[in-house]
Amino acid sequence: MRFFVAMVSHETNTFSPISTDRGQFEARGLHYGGELLEAYRDTGTCLGGMLDGAAAAGVTLVPSLAAAASPAGRVAKDFYADVRARLLADLRAAGPLDGVLLDLHGAMVVDGLDDGEGDLLRAVRATVGATPIAVTLDFHANVTAAMVESATLLHGYKTYPHVDMDARGREAALRLAEVAGGRRRPTVAFRQPPLLPPIAGQATTRGPMRRLYDLADAMERRAGVLTVSVFAGFPLADIRDAGLSIYVATDGDQALADALADELAAAAWALRREFLHTALPVPEAVARALALDGRPVVLADIADNTGGGAAGDTTTILRELLRVGARSATVACLWDPAAVRACVEAGVGATVSLSVGGRVDPSHGAPLAVSGRVRTLSDGRFVHRGPMCRGLEGRLGTTAVLDVNDVKVILISHRWQTLDPEMIRFVGIDPPGEKILVVKSSVHYRAAFEPIARAILEVDAPGLSSSNLGRFAFANVRRPIFPLDEL
Ligand SMILES: [Zn+2]
């Protein structure tokens, strides 16, 4: 068998002022043809799992392109048009295909086009006719009817932190081989209860999403059920279809798919209040961290998570650490290419005075004037070693560590979520040796930081990935929807 394979991945925060253009994709990862296979083979990613599953099923892959950028504002129209045209041209040139494997995110919003993946999947369907299409989607996908109707099977990640990406990729490849071989005939059901869960309430290790996935996992073990996904959705994409959704695929049994989807939708609705989330105010969080015995204490800056489209340059927690004279603290990481350049010009060991952060999104805090010593400089390349993205190379761009009275600020040039202690270790700081680690991440950091943390405190600082949805001016999401509206 021959399967076409491609990846297009972006999680779009429509409240972000940072436009996602070609440069953002080039910084993160843009691969064509066989490069795709080299970049993702044996990595803990969806594509890594797809390559593995295809090999296990004896499938030959026809690689097209892989394009991913750090979450931010809407994707530039011209870049999306290029990627779409190239993918469709590759598809037409691919020769006879038995299936199409796509690794998509599901919450991509393009300039002038709210449902990015729906548009792409419709175009792929129109190109390949009846050929089966299997798609992996992020746990944060805002799934639309267009995606459901255009794909043969959708496979959502079942974990947040996303530690099952490779398993889902592998599953998608194996299921597609079964469908292409005529051994499965998917019938699907899709439900969108009026629910917009905030990000910090979506973890699958505990809470409402754990309970929903316990239910979904039990359903998936039943005879005749192919796959069950509960998508928590990405609330900061202000589009009609943002929010939680349910997808059930059965083998030729529409009534069963409908019944299971209805049961899950009702369960999600019953759990709605458990998604609501509160975190500590900044001064209280810092005071508590300093008072705790043992180390390290992780202060999770959940509202400035670049993985949720926030700037990654807010300074509120750093400002408080300096105000109270904290020591043995590391802020990982602050996105500020201009500050990095100033550190490079000064050189390692030099003392510099400059302002850091607060450049992108002034509504969430101002730049902070600091004086410190340039501790290290690096090219920002590291390899993920935690449970997420294992084996994948990370690129932070030129990176500087500025030491301000033993508060060490890791300044990076490319936005990247702090989901791996390796991002601290590779610049010469020992994470377990620090008293305080400020980590800009909503939930993903937990997979790799929980095992080393003495305690974790979630902080309610300002930022574009805040889980306090009342702070955002929603205009397009379907209403009424909980918790924006009381239903
Ligand atoms: Zn996600």
Side-chain angles (χ1 to χ4, degrees):
M1 279 193 214
R2 295 176 82 244
F3 290 173
F4 182 89
V5 64
M7 181 257 266
V8 179
S9 184
H10 191 254
E11 181 178 270
T12 307
N13 182 325
T14 58
F15 298 100
S16 168
I18 306 168
S19 167
T20 305
D21 55 14
R22 178 179 297 274
Q24 310 273 335
F25 283 88
E26 284 171 348
R28 179 73 175 241
L30 193 52
H31 304 279
Y32 298 109
E35 285 175 20
L36 177 161
L37 306 177
E38 284 167 37
Y40 288 96
R41 187 175 284 125
D42 297 325
T43 60
T45 61
C46 266
L47 275 180
M50 285 175 176
L51 304 191
D52 187 39
V59 169
T60 303
L61 289 175
V62 183
S64 169
L65 58 87
S70 266
R74 285 173 179 261
V75 174
K77 201 175 191 166
D78 58 343
F79 179 76
Y80 171 71
D82 283 356
V83 163
R84 184 182 188 273
R86 182 149 185 167
L87 191 150
L88 295 176
D90 286 349
L91 206 46
R92 284 189 291 268
L97 291 170
D98 302 288
V100 176
L101 267 176
L102 297 174
D103 171 5
L104 307 180
H105 186 286
M108 177 174 71
V109 185
V110 180
D111 271 329
L113 177 66
D114 281 357
D115 181 10
E117 284 86 354
D119 175 76
L120 187 64
L121 281 170
R122 256 196 301 243
V124 169
R125 175 55 76 202
T127 307
V128 301
T131 305
I133 303 170
V135 182
T136 55
L137 290 176
D138 193 277
F139 177 87
H140 293 107
N142 291 323
V143 184
T144 65
M147 297 181 210
V148 174
E149 286 157 15
S150 305
T152 310
L153 277 175
L154 302 177
H155 296 267
Y157 312 166
K158 301 174 188 298
T159 57
Y160 185 29
H162 306 332
V163 293
D164 67 332
M165 293 186 277
D166 46 352
R168 297 288 80 77
R170 184 182 161 90
E171 175 185 277
L174 294 175
R175 283 273 184 268
L176 184 62
E178 292 172 0
V179 173
R183 284 172 281 151
R184 307 278 191 181
R185 200 165 49 86
T187 39
V188 309
F190 174 56
R191 301 288 183 274
Q192 291 174 296
L195 258 175
L196 191 69
I199 298 167
Q202 297 179 348
T204 52
T205 44
R206 59 183 75 81
M209 284 307 294
R210 180 68 264 140
R211 291 169 65 184
L212 290 173
Y213 260 110
D214 285 344
L215 194 58
D217 291 345
M219 289 175 177
E220 214 177 57
R221 287 192 291 271
R222 289 175 59 165
V225 177
L226 295 180
T227 185
V228 180
S229 298
V230 183
F231 296 96
F234 183 60
L236 300 172
D238 183 19
I239 60 167
R240 184 198 171 277
D241 291 294
L244 187 140
S245 64
I246 313 279
Y247 177 88
V248 179
T250 54
D251 194 5
D253 190 341
Q254 185 66 52
L256 178 62
D258 283 323
L260 297 181
D262 284 337
E263 188 183 339
L264 275 169
W269 180 248
L271 290 167
R272 64 193 176 281
R273 292 192 188 283
E274 294 187 30
F275 283 106
L276 300 179
H277 184 269
T278 51
L280 294 171
V282 176
E284 190 182 334
V286 169
R288 273 211 216 175
L290 290 171
L292 273 165
D293 280 334
R295 60 178 62 198
V297 177
V298 169
L299 291 178
D301 192 357
I302 59 174
D304 193 31
N305 169 19
T306 58
D313 81 339
T314 67
T315 55
T316 317
I317 299 177
L318 171 60
R319 190 183 300 268
E320 179 67 7
L321 289 171
L322 296 176
R323 191 187 71 80
V324 302
R327 296 283 186 278
S328 186
T330 291
V331 176
C333 304
L334 198 73
W335 178 49
D336 192 335
V340 171
R341 280 194 297 276
C343 291
V344 169
E345 276 165 29
V348 173
T351 297
V352 290
S353 293
L354 73 176
S355 63
V356 295
R359 294 181 201 279
V360 178
D361 176 22
S363 64
H364 291 109
L368 181 63
V370 293
S371 291
R373 187 178 61 88
V374 181
R375 191 179 146 113
T376 53
L377 295 171
S378 86
D379 66 1
R381 288 180 175 236
F382 69 101
V383 175
H384 283 285
R385 301 195 191 284
M388 277 186 66
C389 305
R390 168 194 42 78
L392 189 71
E393 185 185 62
R395 295 185 217 159
L396 308 178
T398 307
T399 297
V401 179
L402 185 64
D403 189 331
V404 185
N405 296 325
D406 205 18
V407 174
K408 296 169 279 291
V409 186
I410 303 175
L411 297 163
I412 59 178
S413 299
H414 295 328
R415 296 164 63 252
W416 203 281
Q417 182 177 179
T418 316
L419 52 79
D420 195 324
E422 198 56 31
M423 292 170 65
I424 299 170
R425 199 175 290 122
F426 95 103
V427 290
I429 300 169
D430 177 38
E434 293 290 277
K435 174 68 190 173
I436 292 178
L437 298 174
V438 178
V439 166
K440 288 183 181 285
S441 173
S442 300
V443 172
H444 280 332
Y445 70 97
R446 287 184 176 273
F449 281 91
E450 272 182 357
I452 66 164
R454 162 72 180 82
I456 288 176
L457 302 174
E458 293 177 310
V459 191
D460 184 21
L464 280 166
S465 63
S466 174
S467 279
N468 189 339
L469 298 182
R471 291 183 186 155
F472 299 89
F474 284 92
N476 302 311
V477 69
R478 66 195 181 285
R479 305 297 281 264
I481 195 164
F482 184 85
L484 302 183
D485 305 299
E486 194 53 60
L487 284 119

